[in-house]
Amino acid sequence: MYFLYTILASLVSFFILKWLKKRRYCTDVKRLDGKTVLITGGNSGVGKETAVALAMRGARVIIACRDVGKAEKAVREIKFRSRSLNVLHMELDLANLQSVRDFCKSFLQGEKRLDVLVNNAGMPSVLDWTDDGYSMCFGVNHLGHFLLTNLLLPRLKECAPSRVVTLTCSNYKYQKLDFHDLNYNLLPFFTYCRSKLANIYFSQELAHLTEGKGVTCFAVHPGFVQSGWTCHYSILFRMLMQVIMWMFFLPCEIGAQTVIYCAVSDEAAKHSGGYFVDCRPATLRPFARDTGVAKKLWEASERLVKLA
């Protein structure tokens, strides 16, 4: 009898976990032939799965990564899985604003099109600093992508209709921005939450500034995925998280579905500035929909990256 109870409990647990991981797939079959897609951090995780999916649809895919060795390995895998040779990488370090400027200069000189920009790269909850003296989370997750998008925006407008997809996280709800201390770097988790909230405000204000100019913008929560973010932590923590991620987190292929959806779907294009979860628009907390805060963050970010 005890054995039967154990089997029953195991089956119930299995189906509960399967239900928790249930997500929608992007069913839009639109092709991207002749389009150019740029994906930051496309060498692993959700970024790599997005690169494979969009390359399969005929896009020219460029992954922007800091580690050249990992990028070259990822390009080979993406080409093999997508059956496309139109995949390449360019070096980019979002923790260094001069690297962002150099990257954009090279990109604009070498590439005539930019149809989809996926701001995917990100840092987890770590206490560290960028080369420019900003907290690693805020500097990479927000400021690096803010500068990158602004420098590439003229090309996006030239290639309209175009899209900007910025990855965020539902953890945004646990913090609010403090404009007296945007560079907050005390508790790692709070720093991360603030950077993800900044991604949402950024997407909203970008949508406002590009309204009527053919550029649509989205903030996407891909879900909690089984990616390599644990590499920044101790071996013991990584071992523990591997078990937790296997039980509760989503495979990267599933996590990428909402990113793919926002990159290709005509239905998604009707919701520029929107926040998407599981291939559909989702509701933000009221404080995350404050247009005044979004505008204030944009202006502060312009000063921090020296665009103003």
Side-chain angles (χ1 to χ4, degrees):
M1 185 62 72
Y2 176 77
F3 177 74
L4 290 176
Y5 283 143
T6 302
I7 295 296
L8 181 61
S10 299
L11 287 172
V12 170
S13 299
F14 172 79
F15 284 111
I16 289 175
L17 291 174
K18 190 173 182 179
W19 178 80
L20 287 172
K21 292 183 177 184
K22 186 178 181 181
R23 290 293 188 275
R24 294 169 181 254
Y25 273 80
C26 175
T27 56
D28 194 307
V29 296
K30 180 191 290 184
R31 298 283 301 173
L32 295 176
D33 300 287
K35 307 289 187 181
T36 297
V37 177
L38 173 62
I39 305 173
T40 65
N43 61 304
S44 64
V46 170
K48 184 166 69 175
E49 294 301 327
T50 302
V52 171
L54 299 185
M56 288 178 68
R57 293 167 183 262
R60 174 178 174 81
V61 175
I62 301 169
I63 60 172
C65 316
R66 180 181 57 183
D67 190 314
V68 175
K70 290 181 179 179
E72 290 175 346
K73 181 179 178 181
V75 166
R76 289 194 294 270
E77 180 183 342
I78 294 166
K79 285 181 176 180
F80 176 77
R81 291 174 57 193
S82 66
R83 300 294 189 268
S84 170
L85 296 177
N86 207 2
V87 182
L88 65 152
H89 71 87
M90 294 179 66
E91 188 175 354
L92 169 65
D93 183 359
L94 288 163
N96 184 307
L97 295 179
Q98 186 56 51
S99 173
V100 177
R101 291 186 173 88
D102 292 342
F103 169 86
C104 291
K105 182 178 179 181
S106 297
F107 181 91
L108 293 172
Q109 288 176 346
E111 299 293 329
K112 301 304 179 185
R113 297 195 61 85
L114 179 56
D115 301 274
V116 181
L117 169 61
V118 181
N119 291 323
N120 162 79
M123 288 295 295
S125 307
V126 294
L127 282 179
D128 205 350
W129 304 92
T130 69
D131 295 341
D132 302 281
Y134 299 113
S135 69
M136 189 63 76
C137 283
F138 186 70
V140 171
N141 298 351
H142 173 61
L143 290 180
H145 283 123
F146 177 85
L147 179 60
L148 177 76
T149 305
N150 272 278
L151 293 178
L152 296 179
L153 194 54
R155 184 59 49 84
L156 284 161
K157 291 178 179 176
E158 289 172 9
C159 298
S162 54
R163 306 188 185 204
V164 179
V165 183
T166 302
L167 272 70
T168 182
C169 179
S170 62
N171 286 344
Y172 79 86
K173 66 186 73 167
Y174 300 122
Q175 283 287 290
K176 294 183 179 180
L177 295 184
D178 179 1
F179 282 93
H180 297 293
D181 189 15
L182 282 175
N183 205 27
Y184 173 88
N185 201 19
L186 185 58
L187 296 176
F189 179 69
F190 288 170
T191 303
Y192 176 76
C193 293
R194 293 185 186 195
S195 72
K196 296 290 101 179
L197 177 59
N199 291 149
I200 292 171
Y201 286 136
F202 161 73
S203 187
Q204 291 172 354
E205 184 62 14
L206 180 62
H208 171 71
L209 293 173
T210 58
E211 186 175 3
K213 298 177 182 177
V215 181
T216 48
C217 317
F218 315 95
V220 170
H221 170 49
F224 297 102
V225 297
Q226 300 166 358
S227 61
W229 60 271
T230 56
C231 68
H232 299 279
Y233 301 96
S234 67
I235 294 177
L236 183 61
F237 180 81
R238 274 182 273 172
M239 292 172 63
L240 174 63
M241 285 307 303
Q242 285 302 319
V243 176
I244 294 174
M245 286 196 294
W246 178 81
M247 292 178 65
F248 300 106
F249 285 28
L250 304 171
C252 292
E253 180 186 359
I254 296 177
Q257 295 304 307
T258 307
V259 182
I260 299 164
Y261 176 79
C262 288
V264 303
S265 169
D266 292 332
E267 184 63 30
K270 300 175 184 177
H271 304 276
S272 186
Y275 171 65
F276 281 75
V277 180
D278 200 18
C279 295
R280 55 188 170 186
T283 303
L284 289 163
R285 295 289 175 88
F287 71 86
R289 302 195 300 267
D290 191 323
T291 56
V293 174
K295 185 175 188 296
K296 187 175 181 179
L297 175 64
W298 186 280
E299 293 171 348
S301 301
E302 283 183 322
R303 292 192 295 271
L304 291 173
V305 301
K306 296 180 173 55
L307 281 178

